[in-house]
Amino acid sequence: MKNLFLIYLCFLGMIGPSLAHDGYKLWLDYQPIEHPELNQTVSELFSGIFFFGKNPSYQMIQNELELASQGFLNSAPTFRAERFESTKLWIGTREELSQFLGLEHQTKIKSLGAEGYWRGTIIHEGKNYYALIGNSAVATLYATFDLLKSIQSNTFDKNTEKTDFPKVKLRMLNHWDNLDRTVERGYAGFSIWDWHRLPGYVDPRYVDYARANASLGINAVSLTNVNANAWILREDFVEKVKVLADIFRPYGIQVFLTARFSAPIEMGKLETADPLDQEVQKFWKDRVAMIYKAIPDFGGFLVKANSEGQPGPHEYNRDHATGANLLADALSPHGGIVIWRAFVYSHEIDEDRHKQANLEFEPLDGKFRDNVILQVKNGAIDFQPREPFHPLFGAVENTNLGMEFQITQEYLGQATQLVYLGTMWEEILQSKTYRPTDSSTVAGIIDGSDSKQNHTLMAGVSNIGTDRNWTGHLFGQANWFAFGQLAWDPDRSAAQISEEWIKLTFGQKEGLLTQIQELMMGSHEAAVNYMTPLGLHHLMGRSHHYGPGPWVEGGRADWTSLYYHRADSLGIGFDRTASGSGALNQYASQISRVWSDPKQTPEKFLLWFHHLAWDYEMKSGNTLWEEICLHYDKGVKTARHMRDLWRALENQVDAARFSHVDQLLGIQIEEAEWWRNSSLLYFQTFANRPFPESIEKPEGELEFFKQQRFPFAPGIRPNW
Ligand code: BDP
């Protein structure tokens, strides 16, 4: 009987060597505790667990503790329904446990806000109890995950108390999932939302997905592609969405949908979607009411309008505020919000694309309803390997601004390359905006500490799919993890986050940590070097965005590479100073004044803002051309070094994960060489100068590189 049970658990992927390291369990892989002292402490805690109330989230806590106890101790925990005095681990909200907390203690916990928690030791009638106390049931779940993570990474100390709370209110994943289960820019298989078989069939993955998100504090998810299909707003589809919302609710996760602006025409059979039309207003009010009837805590809508062919208010000569407010008014009686994307640009307007969002939204400052958040990509172009922060951050005073990061690596090696994005996000979040105050940072705008905005949001475009390990590349999990951590606290350090992830994923051996951390921490810079060094951008292959394409030209100008690199026989780069497009002026004067001078512009952004001669002298004393060559070459060499670091771990990482990462690093090296060789051969046709002696001479024929086609590369938008 016992054996049968074990086989069953193995089948579920909960224990056992066969599936133990296929990556399915993410960072929630509760491995046996080797440290004897910790083992004893945890055994004791799990031998008597008491809940001080009843709540659906407590059931989820109980489930998690069962899983964890099986993994850590190979035994079931004991939950007691009566007599808390004889238990060890107490779980409840501040209110439920108030009789055991002094006034000061209660005030301290309360000040952490609805999602904040405290964990530590409580002494009651001379006896010690360990308590997980949240200001809400979901906060108590967060405390539980935090406890489990600390046990798993061997940092748990029952004598040290810990408090925590999220700095950002909405911590959200944006899925770009289509209703046919393809995923736009998805590289990890198909969509995990099995629309066709919902609501009847409920994939167990939905629960594991919710657990993983809750363990990071992610509390919102938009299920559908921003290039939206109005079909999701039909009643039968809302029934399917309701199943997911019901599963996610006890994990503290709210569901959002993308709303297609023309839905009144497509779904409501109206002739117009004009936001000022009363029939249109009624359509949205009715649709929203129908959704709330099924899902009372529905979050609201995420909208891409008048961008890349999506319908929007401009069709009716209305501005973005009028469009967003239409939906905001329909949602506000139910407490819902509108997340309106600032990623808008028009090819009819002959204006540097960098400037278009600010030109559009700055004049609308103060015109959006309070339940509208403008979701702004980290940079002004489009999730490029490296961008300076978007000038809209700090440029408006009376508009809620949220951050949109891209977790899926559309422009950073997709799911083939190991690129840890924590460092890139940290760079953005810690950038100084100088507005509204001299010390303001992007993080301070996002979390409201500098901007004073009430609604705060960090969104990440999901990298999740049906692949067994969720993210295609095992290290893609680190990016999901890092996103969650930074959404919780945008001031956290990328290095610290990587350390935590490594310990949870690979265990705690010292050498392993330093090697993998070095590999991760240098990986983004390496990719920037072999793809788009020194501020170059938008040089990828056309439409699928796979591999290099600095030669892409023809068709819509701002979808070509030539528009961005502007190389000619004299030099290279995009002049965005006052003598060029003037986009630099959209930043605070502390930035625009200084960076107008190439000598004072950080070299990582040099060609983003300046068009410079090939012989321009760099800080190193090399010419610009030489420095471009050296950067491309260095990127390749770092990619090779990354594989050396990994290979040194062969005996410390299990065979399955070792081989998975090792093979992908092999492809990454080839792709890095491909980027370097083709890009340098291409740019040399303008620079007309020899390659520096110290780099490997780029091999191959430029014509061959140009002729490569990838019609079946993953993640391509249908109809593109
Ligand atoms: C671009 C993607 C495109 C998305 C767009 C967006 O290539 O597939 O639709 O972003 O953010 O980077 O809407």
Side-chain angles (χ1 to χ4, degrees):
M1 190 61 197
K2 192 168 177 212
N3 277 352
L4 267 183
F5 180 65
L6 280 179
I7 291 170
Y8 172 69
L9 285 182
C10 283
F11 180 68
L12 286 181
M14 289 173 180
I15 61 164
S18 55
L19 291 176
H21 290 303
D22 61 6
Y24 182 79
K25 289 193 269 186
L26 298 158
W27 46 89
L28 300 173
D29 188 0
Y30 305 120
Q31 289 288 311
I33 305 173
E34 281 166 20
H35 203 281
E37 221 175 288
L38 182 62
N39 192 304
Q40 205 196 325
T41 313
V42 176
S43 302
E44 214 174 283
L45 283 185
F46 286 7
S47 69
I49 304 171
F50 190 86
F51 286 93
F52 279 78
K54 279 210 174 348
N55 191 289
S57 298
Y58 292 170
Q59 185 56 50
M60 304 308 132
I61 296 180
Q62 183 162 335
N63 297 351
E64 202 62 33
L65 290 172
E66 264 160 23
L67 264 181
S69 183
Q70 286 296 349
F72 288 152
L73 308 167
N74 197 20
S75 67
T78 310
F79 298 97
R80 295 195 197 281
E82 290 152 22
R83 293 198 20 86
F84 58 78
E85 294 89 343
S86 59
T87 59
K88 303 282 180 203
L89 179 61
W90 287 3
I91 301 175
T93 60
R94 172 180 44 83
E95 279 174 359
E96 287 161 353
L97 275 125
S98 58
Q99 54 170 310
F100 307 103
L101 307 170
L103 205 59
E104 207 178 304
H105 196 172
Q106 285 190 53
T107 317
K108 180 175 152 185
I109 301 178
K110 196 172 178 189
S111 72
L112 301 169
E115 294 177 291
Y117 62 82
W118 176 91
R119 62 176 174 89
T121 296
I122 287 184
I123 303 173
H124 175 64
E125 294 182 350
K127 272 179 76 182
N128 283 5
Y129 301 89
Y130 195 78
L132 304 175
I133 306 178
N135 280 321
S136 60
V138 168
T140 311
L141 175 67
Y142 292 157
T144 309
F145 275 117
D146 189 52
L147 167 75
L148 295 178
K149 280 191 257 174
S150 75
I151 295 172
Q152 212 182 327
S153 54
N154 198 12
T155 52
F156 176 61
D157 174 6
K158 67 175 190 259
N159 300 316
T160 314
E161 53 180 77
K162 177 165 175 201
T163 56
D164 207 354
F165 65 95
K167 288 193 186 160
V168 176
K169 281 189 192 151
L170 269 179
R171 308 173 294 278
M172 180 171 192
L173 286 185
N174 288 180
H175 287 260
W176 283 0
D177 294 15
N178 299 311
L179 302 184
D180 64 0
R181 297 192 78 173
T182 54
V183 181
E184 180 155 336
R185 312 312 179 181
Y187 312 102
F190 287 92
S191 167
I192 57 174
W193 319 131
D194 189 353
W195 294 116
H196 186 63
R197 291 199 282 179
L198 277 166
Y201 178 71
V202 180
D203 190 328
R205 263 202 177 211
Y206 303 147
V207 173
D208 289 327
Y209 168 85
R211 289 174 51 227
N213 280 330
S215 76
L216 303 173
I218 290 173
N219 66 352
V221 42
S222 166
L223 300 172
T224 44
N225 194 349
V226 287
N227 297 310
N229 190 320
W231 202 266
I232 191 70
L233 303 176
R234 279 167 53 117
E235 213 158 346
D236 55 343
F237 264 74
V238 170
E239 278 309 303
K240 298 166 191 272
V241 175
K242 174 185 160 45
V243 173
L244 297 177
D246 289 345
I247 294 173
F248 299 163
R249 187 171 300 109
Y251 286 100
I253 300 167
Q254 251 189 323
V255 164
F256 285 68
L257 293 173
T258 48
R260 187 166 165 85
F261 202 77
S262 54
I265 302 171
E266 288 145 34
M267 290 283 121
K269 308 257 181 298
L270 299 182
E271 272 169 14
T272 176
D274 183 348
L276 297 186
D277 183 284
Q278 285 187 354
E279 289 287 307
V280 171
Q281 293 168 359
K282 184 172 175 327
F283 166 86
W284 284 112
K285 284 205 169 97
D286 292 349
R287 263 312 123 148
V288 165
M290 180 268 286
I291 297 174
Y292 275 92
K293 205 160 163 236
I295 308 164
D297 58 348
F298 179 65
F301 292 133
L302 167 64
V303 189
K304 172 175 178 178
N306 291 122
S307 168
E308 300 184 331
Q310 294 303 304
H314 285 181
E315 271 89 278
Y316 311 97
N317 290 324
R318 317 288 181 209
D319 59 26
H320 281 282
T322 312
N325 291 344
L326 161 74
L327 300 176
D329 289 343
L331 286 159
S332 73
H334 308 273
I337 65 163
V338 177
I339 301 174
W340 195 264
R341 294 177 87 228
F343 178 67
V344 298
Y345 62 93
S346 157
H347 62 297
E348 280 122 31
I349 303 171
D350 185 22
E351 187 61 91
D352 176 4
R353 187 164 137 190
H354 196 298
K355 292 168 70 178
Q356 294 196 33
N358 280 52
L359 290 174
E360 193 92 50
F361 290 104
E362 276 187 67
L364 300 178
D365 192 18
K367 298 211 170 121
F368 290 94
R369 300 276 190 267
D370 188 48
N371 61 331
V372 177
I373 303 177
L374 211 54
Q375 179 169 298
V376 186
K377 286 190 182 182
N378 56 277
I381 298 300
D382 190 359
F383 295 141
Q384 289 305 292
R386 168 174 272 142
E387 301 198 21
F389 74 88
H390 200 301
L392 204 48
F393 291 112
V396 288
E397 281 173 13
N398 298 307
T399 307
N400 303 312
L401 293 183
M403 171 63 81
E404 179 174 320
F405 283 131
Q406 192 179 44
I407 312 172
T408 190
Q409 291 164 237
E410 177 179 356
Y411 303 97
L412 278 158
Q414 306 188 346
T416 309
Q417 300 195 14
L418 191 166
V419 181
Y420 173 53
L421 301 177
T423 47
M424 175 174 101
W425 296 333
E426 179 180 64
E427 180 177 294
I428 293 285
L429 290 165
Q430 295 311 319
S431 298
K432 282 183 91 170
T433 60
Y434 297 96
R435 299 185 294 208
T437 71
D438 272 1
S439 60
S440 297
T441 59
V442 174
I445 305 289
I446 297 311
D447 70 18
S449 56
D450 288 321
S451 58
K452 307 292 171 225
Q453 63 191 34
N454 210 352
H455 289 286
T456 53
L457 160 76
M458 193 188 289
V461 179
S462 151
N463 61 348
I464 297 162
T466 48
D467 276 11
R468 179 74 191 159
N469 73 4
W470 302 87
T471 52
H473 197 305
L474 180 74
F475 278 74
Q477 297 182 359
N479 292 330
W480 178 4
F481 184 87
F483 169 76
Q485 299 276 339
L486 287 169
W488 181 274
D489 178 358
D491 285 318
R492 290 203 65 189
S493 98
Q496 197 188 327
I497 295 171
S498 72
E499 177 172 339
E500 214 177 297
W501 180 78
I502 295 165
K503 284 183 176 167
L504 295 175
T505 307
F506 293 106
Q508 296 118 53
K509 292 189 199 111
E510 187 59 36
L512 201 132
L513 171 66
T514 42
Q515 296 273 117
I516 300 183
Q517 201 175 23
E518 182 184 339
L519 199 165
M520 287 170 75
M521 292 300 287
S523 60
H524 173 249
E525 199 66 50
V528 170
N529 281 339
Y530 59 69
M531 291 178 177
T532 54
L534 299 167
L536 289 171
H537 50 288
H538 208 292
L539 302 182
M540 65 285 165
R542 198 196 277 276
S543 81
H544 48 65
H545 299 166
Y546 168 65
W551 45 80
V552 168
E553 61 179 325
R556 183 179 166 155
D558 61 0
W559 284 357
T560 68
S561 300
L562 272 67
Y563 175 89
Y564 295 98
H565 66 64
R566 303 191 171 207
D568 56 25
S569 63
L570 302 177
I572 183 170
F574 199 133
D575 183 2
R576 294 195 162 105
T577 67
S579 60
S581 79
L584 184 54
N585 272 331
Q586 293 183 323
Y587 290 95
S589 62
Q590 289 94 324
I591 296 174
S592 57
R593 219 181 330 106
V594 181
W595 293 7
S596 289
D597 174 2
K599 293 282 172 216
Q600 295 192 64
T601 306
E603 287 191 343
K604 61 185 175 188
F605 298 135
L606 196 61
L607 303 175
W608 188 280
F609 291 112
H610 301 280
H611 184 87
L612 297 168
W614 294 109
D615 289 330
Y616 170 84
E617 193 186 330
M618 302 287 287
K619 291 202 175 92
S620 60
N622 295 323
T623 65
L624 173 60
W625 166 246
E626 287 165 339
E627 204 62 32
I628 289 175
C629 296
L630 291 168
H631 273 74
Y632 271 106
D633 197 53
K634 189 170 172 204
V636 171
K637 286 174 178 152
T638 315
R640 290 182 192 146
H641 177 60
M642 283 163 60
R643 187 168 63 178
D644 293 343
L645 287 167
W646 183 251
R647 290 206 162 158
L649 298 171
E650 180 154 14
N651 297 324
Q652 295 187 61
V653 176
D654 54 284
R657 286 189 296 186
F658 178 79
S659 158
H660 164 83
V661 175
D662 191 57
Q663 290 185 61
L664 290 174
L665 282 169
I667 305 180
Q668 183 162 356
I669 292 169
E670 280 169 16
E671 291 185 351
E673 289 167 349
W674 172 32
W675 268 96
R676 176 196 61 187
N677 295 350
S678 61
S679 305
L680 288 183
L681 288 170
Y682 171 74
F683 287 129
Q684 193 187 39
T685 63
F686 300 97
N688 238 325
R689 284 156 174 77
F691 297 118
E693 291 285 313
S694 63
I695 73 159
E696 280 170 27
K697 196 171 169 309
E699 286 172 357
E701 291 293 323
L702 182 55
E703 269 319 300
F704 171 81
F705 291 127
K706 284 185 175 180
Q707 276 157 26
Q708 297 307 301
R709 297 285 177 273
F710 304 96
F712 304 112
I716 305 183
R717 230 189 206 208
N719 313 324
W720 274 26

